[in-house]
Amino acid sequence: MRSALQLLLLLLLLLGLHTCLSHGNKIEHIQQCGSYCSQGLHCRTRPYLTFTPCKNLPEGLQNDVSLNMSVYTVMRCTGRQQCSLFLQVSGSLAMNEHVKGVSICTVAAGTMERCRTHVFHKAAQKQLSGQQVEVQDNCFEVAVGQDVHVTLKTVPEFCHLRVSKTYSVPGCSHADLQKNVPECIAGKITYQLNSERKALSISVTDMLENTDYNLRLCHKGYICRGTGAQALLKKEYPQKNATLTYTRPLPCLCIEGWSSVFDAPRVQVCPFKNNMEELWSGVAFDSVKQTLSWEPACQTEVAVTLCQNTEESGCQNLANSTQSVSRGKVSFSTVDPHPRLCMKFSTKMGSWIKCPFAGSDFTAWDIEAAMVDGKTQLVVTSKIRPTLLLSSCRRAGPLACEGNEDILTFNVVKHQSVVPNLTLAMCGENCCIQARRIDVKYAAKVLLCDFNSSGTGGATAPVVSTSHWQTVWIVAPAIGLLTALLVSILTIGTAVTVITAHQRKCGGAVCHVTGSQHNAGSANPCSPQHTQPSIQCYYPAIEDTPNFENSEKTNLLNWVKKDSTI
């Protein structure tokens, strides 16, 4: 019995709460505006015309007279969808023989002050002296969303005896206004999506009657910019339907509708608002200027960062490569189009990574460890003419190296294989060779590690490598042929032997050695007891044409697979 009583009380409480909430959201309707005074208080209403200054309070009046005021919105309708808004002001005070009435005044931005005075009969003043009385007036018409300053004063007006407040009239977001007030009737839009046809079938209900209705697709930002897809729903047609087609399902693509009247409110519905993935397409690469760019199709706050993708630890950011944008193009100059070089897009909703150069078609150069002339050597192949820097280090992570020591800088000949003169057979377990381009601002790093020695010259096990190309071995046979030719020419003597030794160091290149002279052929670049001298090798170019043809401007969405044109 007790449980049933508790359940009944809970239901009554919920019902009362629902009633209060419903009443709070519901705007009261009135038949006509007017004024009201408490029962037994006879009063008449007249315009407030006095311009006399306020009077000083009689002694003891401040303790006897107290003013209170409440304000809320009411609605008066002359027909369906033909309603207007008014303020209902209620004031209360303790009756006193010195107070002959009250005045209520309202003023809003851009309008003049409006006042209405309620004067009490003398008989009522004496009869109700000391009692709390109330005056109500709901004849102050207001606009949707307007801020109104309301003041309640005594008649005659006593200085410092008034009460004021600023009241905000509900806006068009209020459900009652959307159905009844013409300024807020924007219609209700529903749609069905056909992804295959890229079409939106749109229906409109609850629109302003006897009025044409406009529909269009637009990209939402500071304003909604039209895409060109639009329709006009005639008031004569009972069915308010239309079909609009789109190009891309962008998160800022919205359906916008409004009535064909001056300054009509507009309603927007965005079918793809959560489709953020669509924003990160449209990355372009200019192969002539080596510029990587992206322009947002929608206005959005995003930070764009270049990063290097790794299987072990995600995408590691490149230093000083972050740009923030809401509108306009993001551009990164002199970028190496490496398969592991990616763009990271970060917003408040999360992060997305796009790798525009992923795949062997975009690989401009490659370095790998292989057997050359019975020795483990590094082999560089390239479709362009990059400047590479090789460093020795100890591996500390997927792309991290400790104790970096630059050992070799050289230019690679376009469409040829190059064997840098480095000895890897004695390289320890933690020894790594790091390669990167230094003729660009943004480049990925390639790390080759774990060069294990064996009796036949050693095998290699690269940890990080780019995609392998089919290498044409032309350097080793050239060295053997050159050696035989030099031996046969005995008249050259010692000078030719010295030149040959330098050519062997760089695979046919002209070498400039700095520091103390060591045997580069037997040097161990990773040994802690030995320091490899700094060597700069400049390989003679076969042709004087630039790395990229002048006519090559490549959009990554329409990349043509031509190895000879990178």
Side-chain angles (χ1 to χ4, degrees):
M1 183 68 179
R2 184 177 180 181
S3 300
L5 182 60
Q6 290 177 343
L7 180 60
L8 179 61
L9 290 175
L10 179 61
L11 290 175
L12 291 175
L13 179 62
L14 292 175
L15 181 61
L17 179 61
H18 175 73
T19 303
C20 291
L21 291 175
S22 300
H23 180 73
N25 291 328
K26 187 76 173 177
I27 294 181
E28 181 183 348
H29 286 243
I30 60 174
Q31 297 298 323
Q32 59 182 9
C33 75
S35 59
Y36 164 82
C37 295
S38 299
Q39 185 175 4
L41 178 63
H42 301 287
C43 60
R44 64 182 184 273
T45 303
R46 67 185 184 189
Y48 181 75
L49 300 175
T50 178
F51 295 98
T52 58
C54 64
K55 298 181 179 181
N56 293 325
L57 288 169
E59 186 177 353
L61 180 61
Q62 188 171 6
N63 297 328
D64 294 339
V65 178
S66 60
L67 296 176
N68 293 295
M69 180 178 63
S70 61
V71 183
Y72 56 97
T73 305
V74 294
M75 185 184 300
R76 185 172 60 131
C77 302
T78 57
R80 188 175 184 273
Q81 296 185 337
Q82 297 297 323
C83 300
S84 52
L85 300 180
F86 292 82
L87 286 189
Q88 181 159 292
V89 183
S90 298
S92 63
L93 74 159
M95 183 63 70
N96 186 280
E97 60 181 359
H98 297 284
V99 177
K100 299 179 180 179
V102 293
S103 65
I104 302 173
C105 299
T106 64
V107 62
T111 65
M112 296 183 62
E113 186 179 47
R114 297 172 296 171
C115 297
R116 286 167 60 86
T117 301
H118 306 272
V119 180
F120 308 141
H121 287 218
K122 291 184 179 180
Q125 289 179 257
K126 295 180 179 180
Q127 183 180 359
L128 300 175
S129 180
Q131 298 185 25
Q132 198 77 13
V133 296
E134 184 177 344
V135 176
Q136 180 177 286
D137 197 317
N138 55 19
C139 286
F140 298 98
E141 188 170 4
V142 291
V144 175
Q146 194 174 41
D147 290 331
V148 185
H149 189 72
V150 186
T151 303
L152 176 66
K153 301 179 287 187
T154 59
V155 177
E157 182 181 353
F158 293 109
C159 300
H160 309 296
L161 187 57
R162 62 165 60 189
V163 58
S164 299
K165 68 184 303 183
T166 299
Y167 176 79
S168 296
V169 181
C172 284
S173 59
H174 197 287
D176 270 5
L177 274 61
Q178 293 175 2
K179 296 178 182 178
N180 298 289
V181 179
E183 299 95 301
C184 294
I185 299 175
K188 182 179 179 182
I189 293 177
T190 57
Y191 65 89
Q192 289 184 345
L193 173 63
N194 188 328
S195 300
E196 294 182 358
R197 294 179 50 213
K198 291 188 175 181
L200 292 164
S201 298
I202 306 167
S203 298
V204 183
T205 57
D206 298 335
M207 57 190 291
L208 190 61
E209 295 178 347
N210 300 319
T211 307
D212 294 341
Y213 196 83
N214 297 279
L215 283 173
R216 71 166 183 167
L217 296 183
C218 58
H219 289 153
K220 188 175 182 180
Y222 291 117
I223 60 173
C224 211
R225 295 178 288 106
T227 64
Q230 57 186 4
L232 180 64
L233 307 182
K234 290 290 188 177
K235 60 184 178 181
E236 296 86 3
Y237 300 150
Q239 298 296 327
K240 308 301 181 184
N241 302 324
T243 299
L244 301 177
T245 58
Y246 60 90
T247 304
R248 293 175 59 190
L250 295 168
C252 61
L253 182 65
C254 300
I255 307 168
E256 186 176 59
W258 70 98
S259 301
S260 297
V261 295
F262 176 74
D263 203 21
R266 302 193 177 201
V267 61
Q268 294 172 348
V269 178
C270 305
F272 311 105
K273 61 182 178 181
N274 296 322
N275 194 12
M276 297 295 292
E277 187 74 20
E278 185 67 24
L279 281 179
W280 321 129
S281 60
V283 178
F285 181 67
D286 186 332
S287 60
V288 175
K289 298 179 181 179
Q290 303 181 76
T291 300
L292 186 66
S293 60
W294 171 80
E295 188 169 6
C298 294
Q299 181 178 313
T300 181
E301 297 290 336
V302 58
V304 185
T305 305
L306 295 183
C307 63
Q308 182 167 351
N309 190 25
T310 64
E311 297 178 357
E312 295 85 354
S313 58
C315 205
Q316 297 185 0
N317 295 345
L318 271 62
N320 303 319
S321 67
T322 299
Q323 297 184 31
S324 298
V325 68
S326 60
R327 302 177 66 182
K329 181 181 291 188
V330 173
S331 183
F332 298 93
S333 59
T334 59
V335 176
D336 179 27
H338 194 277
R340 291 187 179 273
L341 189 66
C342 305
M343 299 181 79
K344 181 187 295 183
F345 302 91
S346 302
T347 68
K348 295 179 180 180
M349 299 178 62
S351 296
W352 292 262
I353 295 175
K354 295 294 181 181
C355 301
F357 305 111
S360 59
D361 295 335
F362 299 102
T363 305
W365 63 276
D366 186 28
I367 184 170
E368 60 181 353
M371 294 297 296
V372 178
D373 199 18
K375 297 180 180 180
T376 303
Q377 297 279 16
L378 295 180
V379 180
V380 180
T381 52
S382 178
K383 299 178 183 179
I384 58 175
R385 290 198 304 244
T387 301
L388 299 182
L389 171 65
L390 300 183
S391 304
S392 63
C393 57
R394 296 182 301 276
R395 184 174 61 187
L399 291 174
C401 253
E402 294 179 349
N404 279 45
E405 182 181 352
D406 297 343
I407 56 176
L408 185 62
T409 301
F410 62 98
N411 296 327
V412 182
V413 179
K414 185 176 180 180
H415 297 310
Q416 291 193 21
S417 298
V418 174
V419 180
N421 192 21
L422 299 176
T423 300
L424 302 177
M426 298 177 61
C427 198
E429 181 180 355
N430 292 325
C431 168
C432 295
I433 298 296
Q434 180 178 273
R436 65 182 178 92
R437 286 185 64 180
I438 59 174
D439 58 331
V440 294
K441 186 176 181 179
Y442 303 104
K445 298 177 181 178
V446 178
L447 197 63
L448 293 156
C449 300
D450 297 339
F451 304 100
N452 300 319
S453 301
S454 66
T456 60
T460 61
V463 175
V464 180
S465 177
T466 59
S467 57
H468 296 280
W469 296 346
Q470 184 178 0
T471 307
V472 181
W473 303 107
I474 63 172
V475 177
I479 294 175
L481 183 60
L482 181 61
T483 303
L485 181 61
L486 293 176
V487 171
S488 65
I489 306 176
L490 299 178
T491 57
I492 302 299
T494 306
V496 175
T497 304
V498 172
I499 295 174
T500 305
H502 282 285
Q503 287 178 334
R504 286 176 178 273
K505 288 184 180 182
C506 299
V510 179
C511 299
H512 301 273
V513 183
T514 59
S516 59
Q517 299 294 327
H518 294 280
N519 186 355
S522 60
N524 178 13
C526 305
S527 173
Q529 289 83 16
H530 178 76
T531 302
Q532 173 74 16
S534 177
I535 305 175
Q536 292 186 342
C537 300
Y538 301 94
Y539 292 83
I542 297 177
E543 53 186 357
D544 294 329
T545 57
N547 292 348
F548 305 95
E549 298 297 333
N550 292 335
S551 62
E552 295 175 356
K553 287 191 176 181
T554 307
N555 188 295
L556 294 176
L557 298 177
N558 302 294
W559 188 288
V560 180
K561 300 181 180 180
K562 294 183 179 179
D563 291 349
S564 62
T565 60
I566 294 182

